[in-house]
Amino acid sequence: MPSLSLSFSASTIVLALLVLLSAALSIYFYRRTLPPVAPAKKVLLIALRSLALSLLLAMLFEPLLSLISTSTEKPVLAVLVDNSKSMSIADKTGDRAEQMKGVLKSNGLKNVEAFGALRYFTFGARPTEHAALNADSLSLNEDATDMAAALRAIAEQKEVSNIGAVLLAGDGSYNLGQNPIYEAEQLGIPIFSVGIGDSTEQRDLLITKVLANELVHAQTEVPVDVTVKSSGYNGEKVDVVLSDGAKELQRTRIVLEEGTREYSAHLSSVPEGEGMKKYSVRVSRLQGELTTANNQRTFYTRILKSKMRVLIIAGSPSPDLTIVKQTLSEDKNIEVRSLTQKSSGDFYEGRLTDRILDSADCLALIGFPISSTSEQVLHALRTTGRSLPILFVNGKSIDERKLGALGSFLPFVASHASQTEQLVFIEPSPNTHPVLATNTGVQSWRRLPPLFKLQTQYQAKPEASVVAFININPASGGIAINEPLIVLRNVNRQKSLAILGYGIWRWRLMAQGNPETERLLATFLSNSIRWLTTRDDNRPVKVATTKSAFTRGEPVEFTAQVYDANANPVENAQVNIVAEHATGEIETALRPIGNGRYEATLDGLSEGDYTFRARAEVEGQSLGEDKGRFSVGELNLEFQDTRMNAQLLRQLAAATGGRFFAPSEISELAEILRRQGSFAQREIRRAQSFELWNWKYMLALVVVLLAVEWLVRKRSGML
């Protein structure tokens, strides 16, 4: 039975006294009336006024009427059903789908309904609640399993309903999200797990890993390393094939051995064209495989143009020119051309033309310019220097005045010119730059022979970075001088790197025989050319997916950055994405998350390859566009490990006070739950409160009482 209670914001004793006072005043005012009225009418008038005054006084004390009711709620068993693709296979224990149906139709669950309730949830990439679950209608088609997300969903429902235990039925494998043990421990109720499937290795052949470069150069051979795993086969020969769409690029054969083993297959391709390209690797199918859905993997590679073209302009023939040209030519991704100046000002290899300059990706100046360099050549270089990265190597015959004509593109300034030279060693900066990266460690740079350096004073420009300083005789303790030896700059999309010493041929010819130093010059020059020719991403609108391949059912996440012409983040842009697929287009808007960043998610995309285009606008004015591609459904996570993870299912049960069941043992569940302390009905107390001082009918009642009093007085002829 519901119970009622009435309370006031102030003392009820004071209210009672005031009510008595209002009644006394009403009696006092009606003790004599003009004209006199019958006693019954006098009592009515006293009652009407007393009641009206009492209600007005009560409203001032803020009366609160509470209605309290109680009921009992049955304990709820949350049934979590693994709906992923791995539950659709048949292994040594039989058909997993049939085993799952057997669990859901078992008397163990039906008997629970005698003293509790059942709530069904399926889970894969995300959990879904079902008002009722037909065991025969399970789709078992989710491409991934996030068990932690399923347990978090139960934790949210537990806050509003009497969930006293969880029954988790599945193979125990998860491939999305975090380890579910933490979520299980936070849940605070027992988890009873039902392990479906075989925990031993299955008879299967699959690709477990593909290693390939994300960035490659066209017309350059690129390795693709594939790891193949087999179990239950012996002596079979299978082919591993690398393909570009329908075009087979290369194949290799491996012979399977007894037991569970992994094999490495080394393939390669020579990419063509430019841009993003999709490749696939597949392994032959064998009779008796658990599934063939894991026999293929796809990956994406961004193809860059074939070679970096370096134009060397030297002030004269020199050992530095020879060594730099030879060392760069040994890099298969670099194409080298050189022009060497004569004393007359011409070049041995012919004229320097605009066509030659325009075809270069990087300009290397070695001991250049010199006194005989013509103004025409300097003018051509000044014009080109605005768009070409520059590698500068000093030389004894440099003309400092003419070098100043190119100074705006270089990372240093020179003063107090001197022709006196000295030998100096390299001292890498404490913050090692990638151009000095080496497998032998930073100490190997200190073991290089010395270079020559003029006693001209060089200073790095304020916006430049010094990556190596000068050291005098480090073998005897050395004196590190705060004077740059290697300095670089990256400003306004123009990069430059300068070696302020010369005689770098010594770093190759005199460094031979020492494994730590013999490859340092080659590594340094290759790193420098790559750093110089790698264009910074200065696009005003940058949109990308968080990865290139998604499982079917997994949300596709987009991130974006938007900048204005001054490279300032734009906060209020309208960023829209259109994803195109063979079946049509899907459009969505990205939401801002601060500092010019935006994000969005597309759900429920069908399997296949997608391209997307993005556009950012502010008040109808375009800021820029971007595009990309991704795929859905080709990453078969569910078939990478098809064993039942019995260990995890047992850990979930043990950590929460539950129990692990085989499907045949599920009939014991109801009796165990009867004895489970957390699985009990609970009393629900519901309270409803009514603020009577805000109740419009209360004021209406006062008005009605006063109106009736006035009507009686009027009909009685009273003033």
Side-chain angles (χ1 to χ4, degrees):
M1 282 288 295
S3 60
L4 292 172
S5 64
L6 184 65
S7 60
F8 299 90
S9 62
S11 171
T12 54
I13 296 176
V14 174
L15 176 61
L17 292 174
L18 291 174
V19 169
L20 291 175
L21 179 61
S22 65
L25 288 173
S26 298
I27 294 172
Y28 176 77
F29 287 130
Y30 280 110
R31 71 186 188 281
R32 293 190 186 90
T33 62
L34 289 176
V37 295
K41 187 174 291 187
K42 185 182 295 187
V43 171
L44 175 62
L45 290 170
I46 292 173
L48 289 171
R49 178 165 294 191
S50 298
L51 186 56
L53 292 175
S54 297
L55 289 176
L56 285 173
L57 289 170
M59 290 173 67
L60 294 176
F61 280 69
E62 298 180 352
L64 184 70
L65 180 66
S66 298
L67 175 64
I68 301 172
S69 61
T70 58
S71 63
T72 58
E73 183 181 10
K74 285 184 176 182
V76 177
L77 175 66
V79 183
L80 280 175
V81 179
D82 187 346
N83 196 40
S84 63
K85 283 184 175 178
S86 63
M87 295 303 299
S88 65
I89 63 178
D91 55 24
K92 296 175 184 176
T93 64
D95 189 327
R96 294 184 181 181
E98 291 301 319
Q99 293 181 57
M100 178 67 81
K101 292 177 184 177
V103 170
L104 296 177
K105 294 178 179 180
S106 67
N107 289 329
L109 281 182
K110 292 178 181 178
N111 293 339
V112 171
E113 293 184 291
F115 57 94
L118 301 176
R119 287 180 65 179
Y120 291 95
F121 301 80
T122 57
F123 68 95
R126 62 178 60 83
T128 304
E129 184 175 4
H130 302 266
L133 187 63
N134 185 347
D136 295 317
S137 64
L138 282 174
S139 60
L140 304 179
N141 62 353
E142 296 267 358
D143 287 276
T145 305
D146 190 345
M147 198 179 298
L151 293 177
R152 282 195 297 272
I154 298 301
E156 293 173 2
Q157 293 298 317
K158 180 173 170 285
E159 296 297 321
V160 295
S161 59
N162 188 24
I163 297 179
V166 174
L167 178 68
L168 193 156
D171 59 14
S173 294
Y174 69 94
N175 39 51
L176 283 182
Q178 63 187 24
N179 190 313
I181 291 292
Y182 173 78
E183 301 293 342
E185 292 174 342
Q186 296 299 307
L187 197 56
I189 54 177
I191 295 177
F192 298 90
S193 55
V194 182
I196 297 176
D198 191 355
S199 59
T200 63
E201 287 283 359
Q202 307 298 309
R203 183 178 172 87
D204 201 11
L205 178 68
L206 66 150
I207 295 175
T208 60
K209 189 187 331 182
V210 176
L211 292 178
N213 295 90
E214 293 184 4
L215 291 175
V216 300
H217 289 88
Q219 306 302 322
T220 302
E221 187 174 6
V222 178
V224 178
D225 296 315
V226 183
T227 302
V228 178
K229 181 180 178 181
S230 74
S231 179
Y233 292 98
N234 183 19
E236 289 84 351
K237 297 178 181 179
V238 295
D239 290 333
V240 184
V241 182
L242 173 64
S243 301
D244 175 4
K247 179 182 177 183
E248 181 179 315
L249 301 178
Q250 193 181 29
R251 70 168 58 209
T252 186
R253 177 163 291 186
I254 57 178
V255 180
L256 305 182
E257 299 179 17
E258 187 177 3
T260 300
R261 295 179 179 273
E262 288 190 342
Y263 310 85
S264 296
H266 303 288
L267 302 167
S268 64
S269 68
V270 180
E272 299 176 351
E274 289 186 48
M276 189 73 74
K277 181 164 285 192
K278 178 183 177 183
Y279 294 92
S280 64
V281 179
R282 70 178 187 276
V283 64
S284 307
R285 298 183 177 186
L286 292 177
Q287 187 174 1
E289 282 190 73
L290 179 69
T291 178
T292 58
N294 50 17
N295 289 43
Q296 179 169 310
R297 294 284 288 270
T298 60
F299 63 94
Y300 285 90
T301 293
R302 185 178 295 277
I303 303 173
L304 307 177
K305 61 183 178 182
S306 58
K307 289 190 175 183
M308 297 168 285
R309 294 181 292 271
V310 177
L311 173 63
I312 299 176
I313 300 179
S316 63
S318 68
D320 277 357
L321 169 61
T322 302
I323 288 300
V324 170
K325 185 175 180 179
Q326 178 182 336
T327 303
L328 290 178
S329 298
E330 291 170 357
D331 190 323
K332 59 187 178 181
N333 293 318
I334 297 177
E335 182 181 301
V336 183
R337 180 174 185 173
S338 64
L339 293 174
T340 310
Q341 188 176 319
K342 301 177 182 179
S343 57
S344 62
D346 297 328
F347 294 96
Y348 289 101
E349 297 85 354
R351 284 193 326 112
L352 175 64
T353 64
D354 291 341
R355 184 166 176 240
I356 292 175
L357 286 170
D358 291 341
S359 66
D361 297 314
C362 182
L363 183 63
L365 305 179
I366 301 179
F368 182 90
I370 59 176
S371 58
S372 59
T373 302
S374 68
E375 287 299 325
Q376 182 181 0
V377 170
L378 290 176
H379 176 74
L381 294 180
R382 280 197 299 270
T383 304
T384 306
R386 295 188 181 94
S387 58
L388 276 183
I390 296 175
L391 171 65
F392 174 83
V393 181
N394 212 343
K396 187 174 183 180
S397 301
I398 287 268
D399 186 313
E400 297 291 348
R401 183 183 61 83
K402 292 191 174 181
L403 181 63
L406 304 176
S408 61
F409 309 122
L410 298 175
F412 65 92
V413 292
S415 61
H416 301 90
S418 172
Q419 288 298 306
T420 304
E421 62 183 16
Q422 65 181 126
L423 286 172
V424 297
F425 293 85
I426 182 173
E427 179 65 33
S429 170
N431 300 319
T432 305
H433 192 274
V435 298
L436 295 186
T438 172
N439 294 331
T440 56
V442 70
Q443 291 295 331
S444 58
W445 287 99
R446 299 188 176 97
R447 298 187 177 94
L448 285 170
L451 301 179
F452 295 104
K453 179 192 171 295
L454 296 174
Q455 290 190 356
T456 300
Q457 293 183 10
Y458 298 102
Q459 288 184 324
K461 290 182 177 178
E463 68 276 13
S465 301
V466 179
V467 299
F469 295 90
I470 288 173
N471 198 335
I472 307 297
N473 196 12
S476 302
I479 302 173
I481 299 176
N482 190 26
E483 187 174 340
L485 181 61
I486 302 176
V487 59
L488 51 80
R489 186 179 72 157
N490 181 7
V491 174
N492 295 330
R493 304 186 185 182
Q494 203 278 333
K495 293 183 178 181
S496 58
L497 185 150
I499 305 170
L500 299 176
Y502 56 93
I504 62 174
W505 59 268
R506 299 162 66 91
W507 282 359
R508 175 156 183 171
L509 298 184
M510 298 176 65
Q512 298 301 308
N514 184 343
E516 289 188 44
T517 59
E518 61 185 3
R519 292 292 303 164
L520 276 183
L521 179 62
T523 302
F524 168 67
L525 289 176
S526 292
N527 288 346
S528 298
I529 297 300
R530 280 169 172 75
W531 179 79
L532 287 165
T533 56
T534 300
R535 299 292 185 185
D536 291 338
D537 192 352
N538 293 309
R539 292 171 297 160
V541 177
K542 306 171 188 176
V543 182
T545 53
T546 54
K547 53 186 180 180
S548 59
F550 296 84
T551 62
R552 191 158 63 95
E554 181 183 7
V556 176
E557 299 175 348
F558 292 87
T559 61
Q561 300 176 52
V562 180
Y563 301 91
D564 61 18
N566 297 319
N568 297 315
V570 179
E571 300 279 357
N572 59 337
Q574 293 81 47
V575 186
N576 293 294
I577 286 179
V578 177
E580 298 181 19
H581 182 251
T583 58
E585 295 183 349
I586 302 174
E587 185 173 359
T588 188
L590 281 74
R591 59 184 176 276
I593 57 175
N595 201 37
R597 297 170 300 154
Y598 300 79
E599 65 179 12
T601 300
L602 283 178
D603 288 311
L605 296 184
S606 56
E607 186 173 325
D609 293 330
Y610 288 79
T611 59
F612 69 85
R613 61 183 188 275
R615 179 181 176 88
E617 296 180 344
V618 171
E619 297 179 353
Q621 183 176 357
S622 175
L623 295 177
E625 298 181 354
D626 200 4
K627 60 183 179 180
R629 61 183 296 183
F630 61 91
S631 64
V632 174
E634 297 184 4
L635 188 62
N636 294 307
L637 295 177
E638 284 297 303
F639 301 116
Q640 292 302 303
D641 188 355
T642 53
R643 295 175 297 174
M644 177 184 68
N645 192 344
Q647 181 180 1
L648 176 63
L649 293 174
R650 293 181 186 276
Q651 287 178 337
L652 290 172
T656 59
R659 176 179 160 181
F660 173 81
F661 294 102
S664 59
E665 300 171 332
I666 193 64
S667 58
E668 305 173 28
L669 176 64
E671 190 57 36
I672 293 174
L673 286 176
R674 283 184 184 276
R675 302 193 301 267
Q676 191 72 38
S678 65
F679 198 77
Q681 67 180 19
R682 67 178 181 181
E683 185 179 88
I684 301 175
R685 187 171 180 268
R686 296 183 178 88
Q688 290 180 289
S689 298
F690 301 95
E691 297 175 341
L692 296 181
W693 76 90
N694 280 330
W695 193 34
K696 60 183 179 180
Y697 298 109
M698 178 74 81
L699 183 60
L701 180 59
V702 172
V703 172
V704 169
L705 291 172
L706 293 175
V708 171
E709 181 192 4
W710 177 84
L711 181 63
V712 172
R713 288 169 59 89
K714 186 73 172 175
R715 292 178 66 86
S716 301
M718 299 175 62
L719 296 176

